[in-house]
Amino acid sequence: MSEMGHFKFSNKILGIPLMAMILIWVVYWVELVIGVNFNEMGVKPRTLLGLRGVVLSPFIHGSLEHLYNNTIPLGILLSALWYFYRDVAWKVLVYGILLSGLITWLIGRTSYHIGASGFIYVLASFIFFKGIFSSHFRLVALSLIVVFIYGSMLWYIFPVKDGMSWEGHLAGFLTGLFLAKVVKASIPPTKKYEWEKEDFKEEDDLFLKHFDENGNFRELPNEEELIEDDGLSINYIYKENRKSDQQ
């Protein structure tokens, strides 16, 4: 598949991120309307009931600030996932939520771990490492953009702030790295120029012929100058047209 066929826009690039953002806001709105706190449905490590949070915790947020901080990164990273890795996007979404939730359940403190930030770390980690592993120039550029925008997130996989589930962040980061390594995504072949091909010969390249052995630019002689004199001569005989004089 060519690059133009691989990197192309579709409705899912906007539709799925929009649905995800709307869903987490609807859940928070339902909490406010009916006056119920869903925090106890989050991941509670090493408890049987806490396993339900593996699936439910990404949709539950403890405050409006918590919800707002997760909304924009979730939308941007999901859009990037569906544009650049649409053939494995659903795998990354499903496995990312399940694996990061299970790791949080195993390593987390005895508390309720909620929020979409763990899955955001899955997306950021997957997109970064997958681009580096692929060596495709567009995907590497995407990796650098992710680092530039979300590089500061790396600090929060460590216990640097009270009340924050750094275990969930670490679980998401490790899950994204794992998925980037094992999930096989289709990468468009990089276009090779003539000088990158194995059968390329410098002496046959017209542009390189303009340079001498010292690297100095020179004008190539015209084709007329390259024609050698082989001793032949051409004589032209003109015959007068007398009919034109008689008329």
Side-chain angles (χ1 to χ4, degrees):
M1 181 184 294
S2 64
E3 287 191 11
M4 295 300 295
H6 186 89
F7 302 121
K8 63 180 181 180
F9 179 82
S10 69
N11 293 332
K12 291 181 179 180
I13 296 172
L14 295 179
I16 292 177
L18 183 61
M19 289 176 59
M21 292 187 291
I22 291 175
L23 183 57
I24 61 176
W25 276 88
V26 167
V27 171
Y28 186 75
W29 176 78
V30 170
E31 284 188 277
L32 296 178
V33 170
I34 65 177
V36 176
N37 193 323
F38 292 157
N39 288 2
E40 293 184 358
M41 300 181 69
V43 175
K44 189 172 184 181
R46 295 170 299 281
T47 64
L48 186 60
L49 192 60
L51 281 173
R52 63 185 178 180
V54 171
V55 176
L56 300 178
S57 63
F59 308 100
I60 305 170
H61 293 81
S63 66
L64 189 62
E65 181 184 3
H66 186 202
L67 178 62
Y68 175 76
N69 289 336
N70 285 341
T71 300
I72 296 177
L74 181 65
I76 293 175
L77 292 172
L78 277 175
S79 295
L81 177 68
W82 248 270
Y83 183 78
F84 291 95
Y85 302 102
R86 68 176 185 273
D87 59 322
V88 297
W90 283 113
K91 288 183 179 180
V92 174
L93 190 151
V94 174
Y95 294 153
I97 290 176
L98 294 178
L99 288 178
S100 62
L102 286 172
I103 295 174
T104 303
W105 185 82
L106 289 172
I107 69 173
R109 292 163 291 172
T110 304
S111 178
Y112 291 106
H113 299 257
I114 59 173
S117 56
F119 180 61
I120 290 172
Y121 273 80
V122 173
L123 295 174
S125 178
F126 174 83
I127 292 173
F128 171 76
F129 287 110
K130 197 63 176 178
I132 299 300
F133 294 156
S134 69
S135 299
H136 189 279
F137 73 99
R138 289 193 179 186
L139 301 180
V140 172
L142 176 64
S143 298
L144 297 178
I145 292 173
V146 169
V147 169
F148 179 77
I149 299 177
Y150 299 113
S152 60
M153 291 170 51
L154 184 64
W155 293 108
Y156 297 106
I157 66 174
F158 305 106
V160 296
K161 185 176 180 180
D162 294 335
M164 180 178 288
S165 177
W166 65 269
E167 299 97 330
H169 298 167
L170 177 61
F173 180 83
L174 295 176
T175 299
L177 173 58
F178 173 75
L179 293 177
K181 194 68 177 176
V182 301
V183 174
K184 304 299 181 183
S186 61
I187 306 299
T190 304
K191 178 182 177 181
K192 282 192 175 183
Y193 295 93
E194 290 296 327
W195 59 82
E196 295 179 305
K197 296 180 180 179
E198 296 181 357
D199 58 348
F200 173 72
K201 295 181 180 179
E202 294 184 2
E203 58 273 12
D204 295 335
D205 187 81
L206 182 60
F207 177 74
L208 293 179
K209 288 181 179 179
H210 285 83
F211 298 89
D212 59 19
E213 61 276 4
N214 297 320
N216 299 317
F217 184 83
R218 61 182 180 180
E219 290 290 346
L220 293 179
N222 297 329
E223 293 184 1
E224 296 177 356
E225 299 177 4
L226 297 176
I227 299 176
E228 298 181 356
D229 185 9
D230 56 1
L232 296 177
S233 61
I234 301 176
N235 297 324
Y236 295 92
I237 301 175
Y238 296 92
K239 185 177 181 180
E240 184 179 0
N241 188 355
R242 296 185 180 275
K243 290 184 180 181
S244 60
D245 297 339
Q246 295 173 359
Q247 291 178 352

